[in-house]
């Protein structure tokens, strides 16, 4: 790969993290963490062993280049150091003293053995933020366990809900667990860095990929989609794989498949009119979700009959015209040619090697209207040793430099990094709820703006007379609610007054909504030049389909994820309907962009914008595979539980009813450990199985032997035997087993939330990672609609009781209904 000239921080000066230096020891799993920091302008320096990091050899490999390394390490620098040698060890210590953030992905205790443990490094530089990323964290009974993406899928509570009832559970495609965890890691480290800027004190983050998977990929706790009708995923889980959610049917059409996602009454009215006046569901009662669910097979059959006679493109165009949420099934090949993604610049040209050109996803977000993503290719090994360690280089320039002083009081205990910050939250449904909650958990005053005429879908989806649900409480805990009419001039003026005293505005409306209300960024920045406005939408704020109705099930269809998430041998076996990916991940990506702009504002005094397309989260998280598809068409396709590059890797039956264990071997040492652990030492002398390619060719023979071994053992026995031998293995944990998970319990993963209106305490997740100085989230309840209108109008806007009463009378302000007040007072 050609190395571009070194430009240093000058090339990143316009980006929000310009001037931040990150040292990263790569691990081949979570390198998207450093990549996103680099995208945002940080100077990220890889520290690699003399033969290079293992990720330089990860599949897929094209023209001798690892596409994983090429895509996940773009925009970074590389130095070559042998940390077993005294001279290089000293160079490393000098380099660390120049850094703001150190990403350590080495195995537990590895740096301590080299005399470079975190405690020692932080003693020499107390303001350093250290992110220690391991599979299960540095404490707990699984601390020494090893894992791959597939193992995290099993142990994170994702596998138990993926697949068809009665069949082998289905591993989701690509590396969704570790890629999503990397994005949670960025959020965690930027929180700690922001706290350091304000206190002068660094931090050590003990980050667990296992916990991140359980929190953000397809969480068993926390906010769920509208189709769940307020129930948590854990409370509504079944023992077998669940049936596809009937509200998101995938229907065969004349030339493929389409999916509808009809949730609110207005959408059903449009669908009903499209079907004509002769169908049996014209009664107005079918506008209610629960009524349609009672006869969902007949309803979906009627919609399917309409779809079966038409081509996908025509259906999508007509659905868009009528306001019916619908999308056609895309494959990775068609995604690369999609006119919407092309118009947005979602894919950019990429040179892998001389004469080998492809396309790669450009990046996760836009900041201040410009895409932040790949600017320079991944570095050659040690390409920047002279730049870093040479005469006049980075290290020499830093020697004797006085650390930047914090502008606030130095930290003496634990605090939440966003204390003192105010957030105006327009977020709705899952991604919006979760985004505001992330800020509230970290101490921000988050004010949820609501109006009875346009209720949040999470409230609208409530069944019966319920005024609060587990899902809404978990997604909006810690916030306040203000009832405000933004259709009235006075309501808009009151919102502007709030913005004057706010730091961040969050939304996930259809693009153009805030502008149509007279509250776009150009207006708000005149009110408050320091304001940061961050938004997400299904398909982004620009492009021909940007204003299409978008929900997670449709995003997955349009990005190729649905087409990949299936049993390859079974037609129409798409198994993504029970996931809510990428909603929870999207909230983290927006939060990362917002806090990056807040960090930028710390220096510049000026706010800005962050915009995220939820569709592009999956694209960028699968960068190496889309790049491979662009070079070798047809390579990015569904493979079920079989890995193209590794064997054994799969889901194996254990003793008992529907019990499964994932076994996943990715390197030679793990292969040797496996052979010995299951009594197959003869494998080690079998020339056919001496490398990964040979094992893939003989996968059936190997995996049949493993299945025979696992069938005679309980799932715990199989996992523990293999893990104790150093083999990545994980049982399929069910959501009903969450409370008893020994690692999650030991790591204080669970918290209880006491929510007025719900009799029993709600089990929710803790913060994103364990930390020395970040306090755990305060478990404050979620608000009822307009619960805090008077309080906010008085405390923040300075209105008198008489003024508030008058604004309520005119409908500019709304207060909580009496029925809800009765719940709170009881």
């Amino acid at each position: 790969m050609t190395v571009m000239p070194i430009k240093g921080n000058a090339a990143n000066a316009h980006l929000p993290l310009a001037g931040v230096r990150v040292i990263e020891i790569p691990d081949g799993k979570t390198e998207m963490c450093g990549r996103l920091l680099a995208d945002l302008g940080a100077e990220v320096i890889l520290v690699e062993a003399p033969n290079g990091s293992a990720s330089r050899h990860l599949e897929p490999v094209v023209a001798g280049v690892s596409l994983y390394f090429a895509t996940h390490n773009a925009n970074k620098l590389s130095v070559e150091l042998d940390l077993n040698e005294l001279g290089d060890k000293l160079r490393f210590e000098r380099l660390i003293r120049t850094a703001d953030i150190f990403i350590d992905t080495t195995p537990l205790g590895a740096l301590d053995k080299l005399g470079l443990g975190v405690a020692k490094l932080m003693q020499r530089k107390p303001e350093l933020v250290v992110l220690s990323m391991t599979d299960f964290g540095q404490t707990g009974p699984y601390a020494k366990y090893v894992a791959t993406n597939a193992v995290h899928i099993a142990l994170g509570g994702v596998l138990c809900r993926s697949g068809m009832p009665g069949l082998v559970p289905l591993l989701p495609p690509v590396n969704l667990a570790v890629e999503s965890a990397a994005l949670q890691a960025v959020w965690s480290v930027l929180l700690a860095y922001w706290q350091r800027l304000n206190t002068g004190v660094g931090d050590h983050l003990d980050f667990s990929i296992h916990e991140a998977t359980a929190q953000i990929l397809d969480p068993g706790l926390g906010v769920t989609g509208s189709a769940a009708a307020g129930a948590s995923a854990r409370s509504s889980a079944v023992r077998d794989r669940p049936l596809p959610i009937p509200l998101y049917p995938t229907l065969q059409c004349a030339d493929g498949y389409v999916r509808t996602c009809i949730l609110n009454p207005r959408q059903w009215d449009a669908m009903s009119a499209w079907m004509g006046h002769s169908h049996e569901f014209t009664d107005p009662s079918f506008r209610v979700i629960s009524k349609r669910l009672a006869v969902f097979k007949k309803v979906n059959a009627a919609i399917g009959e309409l779809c079966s006679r038409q081509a996908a493109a025509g259906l999508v165009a007509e659905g868009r015209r009528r306001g019916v949420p619908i999308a056609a099934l895309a494959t990775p090949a068609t995604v690369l040619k999609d006119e919407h993604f092309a118009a947005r610049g979602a894919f950019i040209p990429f040179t892998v090697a001389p004469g080998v050109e492809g396309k790669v996803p450009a990046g996760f977000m836009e900041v201040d209207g410009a895409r932040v993503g790949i600017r320079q290719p991944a570095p050659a090994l040690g390409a920047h040793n002279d730049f870093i360690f040479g005469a006049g280089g980075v290290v020499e320039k830093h020697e004797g430099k006085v650390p930047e002083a914090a502008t606030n009081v130095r930290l003496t205990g634990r605090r939440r990094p966003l204390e003192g910050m105010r957030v105006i939250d327009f977020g709705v449904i899952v991604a919006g709820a979760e985004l505001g909650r992330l800020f509230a958990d970290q101490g921000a005053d988050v004010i949820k703006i609501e109006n009875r005429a346009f209720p949040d879908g999470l409230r609208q989806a409530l069944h019966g007379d319920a005024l609060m649900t587990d899902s809404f409480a978990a997604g909006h805990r810690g916030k306040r609610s203000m009832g405000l009419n933004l259709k009235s001039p006075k309501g808009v003026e009151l919102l502007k007054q709030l913005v004057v005293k706010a730091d961040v505005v969050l939304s996930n409306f259809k693009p153009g909504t805030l502008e149509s209300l007279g509250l776009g960024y150009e207006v708000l920045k005149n009110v408050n030049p320091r304001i940061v406005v961050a938004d997400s939408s299904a398909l982004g704020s620009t492009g021909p389909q940007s204003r299409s109705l978008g929900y997670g099930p449709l995003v997955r269809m349009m990005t190729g994820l649905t087409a990949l998430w299936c049993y390859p041998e079974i037609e129409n076996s798409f198994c993504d309907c029970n996931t809510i990916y990428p909603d929870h991940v999207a909230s983290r990506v927006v939060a990362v962009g917002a806090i990056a702009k807040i960090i930028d504002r710390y220096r510049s005094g000026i706010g800005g914008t962050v915009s995220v397309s939820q569709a592009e989260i999956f694209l960028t998280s699968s960068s190496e595979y889309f790049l491979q598809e662009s070079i070798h068409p047809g390579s990015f396709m569904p493979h079920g539980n079989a890995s193209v590059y590794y064997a054994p890797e799969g889901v194996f039956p254990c003793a008992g009813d529907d019990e499964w264990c994932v076994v996943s071997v990715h390197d030679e040492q793990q292969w040797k450990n496996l052979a010995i652990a299951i009594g197959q030492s003869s494998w080690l002398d079998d020339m056919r199985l001496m490398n990964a390619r040979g094992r893939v060719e003989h996968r059936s023979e190997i995996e049949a032997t493993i299945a025979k071994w696992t069938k005679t053992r309980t799932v715990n026995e199989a996992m523990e035997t293999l893990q104790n031998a150093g083999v990545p293995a994980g049982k399929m944990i069910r959501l009903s087993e969450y409370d008893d998970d020994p690692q999650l319990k030991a790591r204080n993963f669970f918290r209880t939330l006491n929510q007025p209106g719900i009799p029993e305490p709600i089990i929710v997740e803790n913060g994103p990672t364990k930390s020395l100085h970040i306090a755990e989230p305060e478990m404050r309840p979620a608000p009822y609609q307009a619960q805090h209108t008077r309080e906010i109008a008085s405390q923040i806007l300075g209105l008198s009781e008489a003024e508030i009463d008058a604004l309520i009378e005119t409908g500019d302000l709304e207060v909580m209904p009496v029925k809800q007040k009765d719940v709170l007072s009881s």
Side-chain angles (χ1 to χ4, degrees):
M1 221 167 14
T2 305
V3 179
M4 296 179 68
I6 297 167
K7 296 182 179 178
N9 284 337
N12 306 341
H14 65 290
L15 294 169
L17 296 185
V20 178
R21 179 168 293 130
V22 180
I23 311 302
E24 177 184 6
I25 298 179
D27 67 344
K29 284 194 290 195
T30 55
E31 284 160 48
M32 193 55 83
C33 173
R35 158 69 197 282
L36 181 49
L37 292 169
D39 284 3
L40 289 165
E43 182 183 72
V44 180
I45 304 170
L46 297 175
V47 174
E48 301 190 73
N51 293 323
S53 63
S55 58
R56 287 187 179 270
H57 309 288
L58 285 180
E59 298 282 3
V61 173
V62 173
V65 174
S66 164
L67 301 189
Y68 174 90
F69 188 87
T71 54
H72 287 62
N73 292 288
N75 299 333
K76 301 181 186 179
L77 311 181
S78 170
V79 296
E80 181 181 349
L81 294 176
D82 185 348
L83 297 183
N84 293 297
E85 297 292 333
L86 179 60
D88 279 358
K89 196 179 297 184
L90 293 174
R91 289 186 186 91
F92 176 76
E93 289 181 316
R94 292 176 68 199
L95 178 59
I96 284 289
R97 287 197 287 272
T98 76
D100 301 289
I101 295 168
F102 171 39
I103 300 176
D104 170 28
T105 63
T106 59
L108 186 64
L111 288 184
D112 290 294
K113 292 177 181 177
L114 294 169
L116 297 170
V118 171
K120 179 180 178 181
L121 297 178
M122 293 190 69
Q123 184 179 22
R124 296 192 175 184
K125 184 166 185 175
E127 66 271 25
L128 182 68
V129 173
V130 179
L131 173 68
S132 292
M133 283 200 286
T134 55
D135 282 315
F136 295 96
Q138 300 196 345
T139 59
Y142 295 176
K144 294 184 179 180
Y145 278 15
V146 290
T148 63
N149 180 81
V151 171
H152 285 302
I153 291 291
L155 284 169
V158 180
L159 183 62
C160 66
R161 290 169 285 166
S162 178
M164 299 178 72
L167 298 183
V168 178
L170 180 64
L171 290 169
V174 300
N175 298 308
L176 292 183
V178 294
E179 294 291 338
S180 300
L183 301 176
Q184 169 114 324
V186 184
W187 168 241
S188 303
V189 80
L190 288 183
L191 284 171
Y193 179 68
W194 172 247
Q195 178 130 293
R196 189 206 102 172
L197 288 177
N198 286 277
T199 66
V201 177
D203 207 340
H204 181 206
L205 308 179
D206 175 9
F207 186 89
S208 160
I209 298 173
H210 173 51
E211 291 166 28
T213 302
Q215 284 185 328
I216 70 171
L217 181 53
D218 209 1
L221 308 175
V223 61
T224 53
S226 299
S232 70
R234 194 178 63 132
S235 67
S236 57
V238 296
R239 179 170 176 79
D240 199 351
R241 267 63 64 207
L243 290 166
I245 292 176
L247 291 173
Y248 313 143
T250 305
L251 306 166
Q252 193 159 17
C253 60
D255 60 350
Y257 292 93
V258 294
R259 176 178 288 167
T260 59
C261 188
I262 300 166
L263 298 177
N264 64 46
R266 184 178 65 256
Q267 293 163 358
W268 172 251
D269 289 343
M271 185 73 248
S272 179
W274 190 1
M275 289 191 292
H277 301 292
S278 60
H279 66 84
E280 58 181 301
F281 309 109
T282 57
D283 188 279
S285 64
F286 286 102
R287 302 177 81 233
V288 180
I289 283 178
S290 56
K291 176 73 171 180
R292 297 199 303 276
L293 281 174
V295 289
F296 74 87
K297 289 184 179 180
K298 290 185 177 181
V299 170
N300 289 343
I303 300 173
E305 176 63 24
L306 170 70
C307 295
S308 66
R309 303 187 296 269
Q310 302 179 51
L315 288 166
V316 170
E318 183 65 12
R320 192 177 304 149
R321 187 183 73 79
R322 290 176 175 271
V324 174
I326 186 171
L329 180 72
T331 65
T334 58
V335 169
L336 284 164
K337 301 173 184 175
D338 185 273
E339 64 172 7
H340 175 77
F341 294 127
R344 284 186 48 75
F347 292 95
I348 58 173
F350 193 86
T351 301
V352 173
V356 182
E357 305 287 336
K359 290 183 179 180
V360 69
F364 285 105
M365 67 182 76
E366 296 160 287
V367 175
D368 296 331
R371 174 83 62 174
V372 296
I374 295 177
R375 302 179 300 278
Q376 297 184 166
L381 174 62
H384 305 97
N385 273 53
D386 288 343
F387 176 70
I388 303 295
F389 298 112
V394 167
V395 170
E396 188 174 284
K397 287 179 180 178
H398 188 270
E399 301 290 350
K401 186 178 178 181
V402 178
E404 181 181 2
T407 59
N408 213 328
V409 179
R410 291 185 67 86
L411 183 63
T412 57
R414 290 163 66 90
R415 71 185 288 273
R416 298 176 187 92
L418 304 185
E419 289 178 7
M421 190 174 291
R422 180 167 293 128
V423 175
I424 307 302
D425 182 13
F426 290 105
V428 295
I429 317 291
V430 178
E434 188 86 336
L435 175 57
R437 194 269 298 172
L438 292 175
F439 280 80
D441 274 1
Q442 299 305 322
D445 177 18
V446 178
I447 299 172
K448 180 173 174 60
I449 304 298
E450 302 194 75
N451 183 268
R452 281 193 291 272
F454 302 95
D456 184 339
L458 281 185
R459 292 197 191 275
Q460 189 178 23
L462 307 183
H463 280 342
D465 296 327
L467 301 175
M468 180 64 66
T469 66
D470 288 12
S471 175
F472 189 91
H476 290 281
R477 70 184 192 225
K479 302 179 186 180
R480 298 195 284 174
S481 174
M482 184 177 194
L484 192 57
N485 181 10
L486 296 180
K487 291 289 187 178
S488 76
K490 186 60 179 178
V492 170
E493 179 58 32
L494 291 170
L495 193 282
K496 290 179 181 177
Q497 292 176 31
L498 278 179
V499 170
V500 169
K501 299 181 180 182
D503 297 277
V504 180
V505 173
L506 303 174
S507 78
N508 65 325
F509 293 140
K510 185 168 70 174
T513 300
L514 285 181
E515 285 78 5
S516 70
L517 294 170
L519 294 169
Y521 175 68
E522 293 302 317
V523 173
L524 297 184
K525 76 174 183 179
N526 290 327
V527 172
N528 178 0
R530 292 176 55 83
I531 199 71
V532 172
V533 177
D535 71 77
S536 75
S537 57
L539 297 172
S541 58
T542 60
Q545 297 185 51
S546 62
R547 302 204 176 191
S548 300
L549 294 168
Y551 296 99
L554 305 186
V555 169
R556 296 191 294 272
M557 287 283 281
M558 298 176 68
T559 57
L561 178 54
T562 301
L564 294 163
W565 199 331
C566 68
Y567 298 90
E569 69 280 7
I570 303 176
E571 185 71 20
N572 194 5
S573 61
F574 308 115
C575 293
D576 67 303
C577 274
N578 290 292
T579 183
I580 47 178
Y581 178 90
D583 293 66
H584 289 268
V585 183
S587 66
R588 270 69 178 182
V589 175
V590 181
V592 163
I595 197 168
K597 281 302 299 179
I598 290 166
I599 290 167
D600 185 35
R601 187 183 67 187
Y602 180 86
R603 299 183 295 255
S604 70
I606 304 297
T609 63
V610 174
S611 185
V612 172
S613 160
Q614 294 182 22
E616 290 163 19
I617 291 172
F618 173 67
L619 303 186
T620 308
S621 295
S622 308
S623 291
E624 68 268 43
Y625 302 109
F626 276 106
L627 177 56
Q628 182 187 27
E629 175 67 27
S630 72
I631 299 168
H632 296 307
S635 58
F636 194 11
M637 56 188 295
H639 297 287
N641 286 332
S643 167
V644 176
Y645 304 110
Y646 304 106
E649 176 163 286
V651 182
F652 297 89
C654 294
D657 175 27
D658 196 39
E659 300 288 350
W660 305 88
C661 183
V662 165
V663 181
S664 177
V665 170
H666 280 204
D667 63 37
E668 298 307 311
Q669 187 59 56
Q670 293 169 1
W671 168 247
K672 293 176 183 176
N673 295 343
L674 172 68
I676 295 169
I678 67 172
Q680 295 295 325
S681 299
S682 61
W683 281 350
L684 304 180
D685 299 319
D686 191 332
M687 297 301 296
R688 302 173 304 153
L689 312 179
M690 287 297 178
N691 56 42
R693 180 172 297 180
R695 294 192 287 273
V696 168
E697 290 176 357
H698 297 89
R699 175 196 314 280
S700 297
E701 175 186 338
I702 295 169
E703 296 189 348
T705 301
I706 295 172
K708 186 176 179 180
W709 181 86
T710 57
K711 281 181 180 178
T712 64
R713 289 158 176 81
T714 68
V715 68
N716 284 322
E717 289 171 342
M719 179 182 74
E720 291 166 9
T721 299
L722 293 175
Q723 283 285 0
N724 290 336
V727 179
K731 67 179 181 179
M732 183 186 77
I733 187 171
R734 290 180 166 85
L735 299 189
S736 60
E737 301 167 328
Y738 249 37
D739 290 359
D740 295 321
D741 182 282
Q743 183 67 11
L744 295 179
K745 287 172 67 175
R747 300 269 300 171
N748 195 29
F749 179 83
F750 304 104
R751 299 287 299 280
T752 56
L753 172 67
N754 294 307
Q755 174 66 49
I758 295 180
E760 298 296 326
I762 303 170
I763 305 299
V764 295
E765 67 193 65
N766 209 339
T769 187
K770 296 180 77 69
S771 161
L772 291 178
H773 297 302
I774 296 177
E776 294 179 333
E778 182 182 358
M779 290 292 109
R780 292 176 291 135
Y784 284 82
Q785 189 162 328
Q787 180 180 343
H788 303 97
T789 299
R790 288 185 177 276
E791 179 182 298
I792 294 166
S794 173
Q795 293 177 356
I796 300 176
L797 300 182
L799 300 176
S800 67
E801 284 299 314
E803 290 172 319
I804 295 171
D805 288 339
L807 289 167
I808 294 169
E809 182 68 25
T810 58
D812 297 302
L813 290 179
E814 294 179 351
V815 291
M816 188 168 57
V818 173
K819 189 174 183 179
Q820 296 183 24
K821 288 182 181 179
D822 293 341
V823 171
L824 289 175
S825 61
S826 61

Coordinates of all heavy atoms in Angstrom, one line a residue, residues 94 202 237 459 494 507 549 702:
R94 N 8.6 7.4 26.7 CA 8.7 8.8 26.3 C 7.5 9.2 25.4 O 6.9 10.3 25.5 CB 10.0 9.0 25.5 CG 11.2 8.9 26.4 CD 12.5 9.0 25.6 NE 12.6 10.4 25.0 CZ 13.4 10.7 24.0 NH1 14.1 9.7 23.4 NH2 13.5 11.9 23.6
G202 N -6.5 12.4 34.8 CA -6.8 11.4 33.8 C -7.7 10.3 34.4 O -8.3 10.5 35.5
A237 N -39.1 -12.4 26.3 CA -38.3 -13.4 25.6 C -39.0 -14.8 25.7 O -39.6 -15.1 26.8 CB -36.9 -13.4 26.2
R459 N -44.4 6.4 23.6 CA -45.6 6.7 24.4 C -46.8 6.2 23.6 O -47.7 5.6 24.1 CB -45.7 8.1 24.8 CG -44.6 8.7 25.7 CD -45.1 10.0 26.3 NE -44.1 10.7 27.0 CZ -43.8 10.5 28.3 NH1 -44.4 9.6 29.0 NH2 -42.8 11.2 28.9
L494 N -40.1 30.4 23.1 CA -39.7 29.8 24.3 C -38.6 28.8 24.1 O -37.7 28.7 25.0 CB -40.9 29.1 25.0 CG -42.0 30.1 25.5 CD1 -43.3 29.3 25.9 CD2 -41.5 30.9 26.7
S507 N -31.7 15.5 18.1 CA -32.9 15.1 17.4 C -32.7 13.9 16.5 O -31.6 13.7 16.1 CB -33.5 16.3 16.6 OG -32.8 16.4 15.4
L549 N -39.5 7.7 4.9 CA -39.8 7.2 6.2 C -38.8 6.1 6.5 O -38.7 5.1 5.8 CB -41.3 6.7 6.3 CG -42.3 7.8 6.2 CD1 -43.7 7.1 6.0 CD2 -42.3 8.7 7.4
I702 N -14.2 -31.8 10.9 CA -13.8 -31.2 12.2 C -15.0 -30.9 13.1 O -15.1 -31.3 14.2 CB -13.0 -30.0 12.0 CG1 -11.7 -30.3 11.3 CG2 -12.7 -29.3 13.3 CD1 -10.9 -29.0 10.8

